[in-house]
């Protein structure tokens, strides 16, 4: 189960083999993820029952340990299964993701006086059994509550949009909610921070502390922290305070220029 002929040959030729995880099951065991927040991560994951089990996961880790020289990590935790290199590999073209990008006419949203709260995700294979790792139902409920109270807000919920056009919707949002359960930001967080948006995300305290210890140049992150229990109050504070949204948006872009610049990170 842990032998691959092409990897074996690559090692014979002294090739360096680098692993880029595509998800949490390629970084840690399910048993480990289940320790966080009393199992909240796996309990809300649509993959948890249909594609993720530790018999398979451990076989994959055995394979990685045998052949890979290292696994890339953005620097939010250390895996107990595989050696990791913490680098700024989540990088982006800051000219393509810029607060002042030109939006093609076909992607322009109708003019509106309402504040746009964006929460987008790809739901394919992630909704098994009604589970949702991003906490989308809590976000929808919070926006609906704000609307009932008379706040001029609307939810942008782009689903399964091609990645090469997603930024045109993201840049038209006033507030972005990334996720409320997993514990760290993903690609959409990187993109929206680069677009200078105030981004709401659940950052697990241990992950945040680990990150700030790895990247000691930062005292904090510009991300607005929230979870499923307080998303309504966090959203409301941003909705009623335009100056706060502008201030955090500027800090988002500044952080992106420091941490996600592909030209700096690839040099």
């Amino acid at each position: 189960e842990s032998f691959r002929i092409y990897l074996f040959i690559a090692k014979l030729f002294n090739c360096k083999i680098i692993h880029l995880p595509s998800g949490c099951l390629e970084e840690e065991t399910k048993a480990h993820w289940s320790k966080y927040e009393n199992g909240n991560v796996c309990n809300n994951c649509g993959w948890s029952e249909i594609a993720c089990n530790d018999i398979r996961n451990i076989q994959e880790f055995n394979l990685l340990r045998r052949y890979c020289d290292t696994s890339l990590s953005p620097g939010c935790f250390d895996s107990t299964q595989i050696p990791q290199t913490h680098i700024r590999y989540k990088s982006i073209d800051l000219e393509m993701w810029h607060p002042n990008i030109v939006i093609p006419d076909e992607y322009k949203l109708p003019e509106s006086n309402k504040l746009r709260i964006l929460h987008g995700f790809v739901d394919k294979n992630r909704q098994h059994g009604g589970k949702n790792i991003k906490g989308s139902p809590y976000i929808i409920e919070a926006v609906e509550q704000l609307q009932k109270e008379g706040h001029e807000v609307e939810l942008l919920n782009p689903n399964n949009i091609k990645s090469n056009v997603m930024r045109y919707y993201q840049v038209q949002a006033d507030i972005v909610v990334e996720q409320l359960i997993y514990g760290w930001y993903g690609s959409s967080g990187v993109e929206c921070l680069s677009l200078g948006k105030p981004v709401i995300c659940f950052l697990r305290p241990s992950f945040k502390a680990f990150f700030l210890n790895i990247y000691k140049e930062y005292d904090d992150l510009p991300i607005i922290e929230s979870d499923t229990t307080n998303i309504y109050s966090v959203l409301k504070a941003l909705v009623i305070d335009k100056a706060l949204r502008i201030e955090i948006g500027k800090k988002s872009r500044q952080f992106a220029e420091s941490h996600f610049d592909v030209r700096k990170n690839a040099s």
Side-chain angles (χ1 to χ4, degrees):
E1 292 294 338
S2 61
F3 178 78
R4 297 291 185 276
I5 185 64
Y6 65 96
L7 294 176
F8 175 76
I9 293 172
K11 296 303 288 185
L12 285 179
F13 285 94
N14 293 319
C15 293
K16 295 296 182 182
I17 299 175
I18 310 299
H19 171 239
L20 180 62
S22 62
C24 53
L25 54 75
E26 292 189 5
E27 297 176 284
E28 260 298 350
T29 62
K30 186 174 181 179
H32 185 92
W33 284 108
S34 295
K35 296 177 183 178
Y36 294 120
E37 294 85 47
N38 297 315
N40 205 32
V41 176
C42 295
N43 289 343
N44 284 282
C45 178
W47 282 93
S48 184
E49 301 301 328
I50 60 173
C52 179
N53 67 78
D54 274 349
I55 294 176
R56 173 192 173 279
N57 295 341
I58 290 171
Q59 288 175 348
E60 293 295 319
F61 290 133
N62 289 337
L63 183 70
L64 292 171
R65 284 192 292 267
R66 181 170 186 173
Y67 294 109
C68 289
D69 293 278
T70 192
S71 178
L72 298 187
S73 164
C76 56
F77 73 97
D78 258 334
S79 172
T80 64
Q81 298 297 314
I82 49 178
Q84 291 180 298
T85 299
H86 304 293
I87 63 171
R88 307 175 193 217
Y89 81 85
K90 285 183 178 288
S91 304
I92 201 167
D93 185 336
L94 293 173
E95 293 303 313
M96 292 185 68
W97 277 266
H98 189 282
N100 298 320
I101 59 173
V102 177
I103 306 169
D105 288 341
E106 61 265 37
Y107 303 120
K108 288 183 179 177
L109 298 172
E111 290 189 12
S112 173
N113 293 324
K114 296 181 179 180
L115 282 178
R116 291 178 169 135
I117 300 170
L118 183 142
H119 172 65
F121 66 98
V122 178
D123 63 6
K124 185 178 180 181
N125 294 329
R126 295 186 179 184
Q127 297 278 57
H128 182 73
K131 297 180 179 181
N132 186 295
I133 191 62
K134 291 204 168 189
S136 303
Y138 298 93
I139 298 164
I140 294 169
E141 182 181 358
V143 173
E144 289 177 346
Q145 181 61 36
L146 290 168
Q147 291 170 334
K148 289 177 183 178
E149 294 175 0
H151 296 283
E152 292 293 312
V153 297
E154 61 178 321
L155 179 65
L156 297 182
N157 194 207
N159 189 0
N160 299 320
I161 302 296
K162 291 182 179 180
S163 59
N164 63 335
V165 300
M166 186 63 180
R167 65 185 181 277
Y168 300 130
Y169 295 103
Q170 292 168 332
V171 79
Q172 295 178 81
D174 297 288
I175 301 168
V176 175
V177 187
E178 219 260 20
Q179 61 79 26
L180 302 176
I181 294 173
Y182 175 72
W184 202 246
Y185 60 82
S187 297
S188 60
V190 173
E191 292 164 358
C192 293
L193 289 166
S194 301
L195 292 169
K197 299 299 173 182
V199 175
I200 298 173
C201 183
F202 171 50
L203 300 180
R204 184 167 293 107
S206 62
F207 282 18
K208 182 179 177 180
F210 189 95
F211 179 91
L212 294 176
N213 186 56
I214 293 288
Y215 301 105
K216 298 183 186 297
E217 61 269 37
Y218 305 121
D219 296 322
D220 205 350
L221 291 168
I223 293 169
I224 306 146
E225 298 182 49
S226 181
D227 57 32
T228 57
T229 67
N230 66 353
I231 181 60
Y232 161 75
S233 59
V234 171
L235 269 176
K236 185 174 182 178
L238 278 177
V239 166
I240 64 179
D241 194 336
K242 181 178 180 180
L244 180 61
R245 296 197 304 271
I246 293 172
E247 177 187 357
I248 295 176
K250 289 179 179 178
K251 290 180 179 179
S252 294
R253 177 65 185 185
Q254 290 169 356
F255 176 73
E257 290 172 348
S258 171
H259 203 73
F260 302 137
D261 189 341
V262 69
R263 292 178 177 85
K264 293 179 182 177
N265 295 347
S267 63

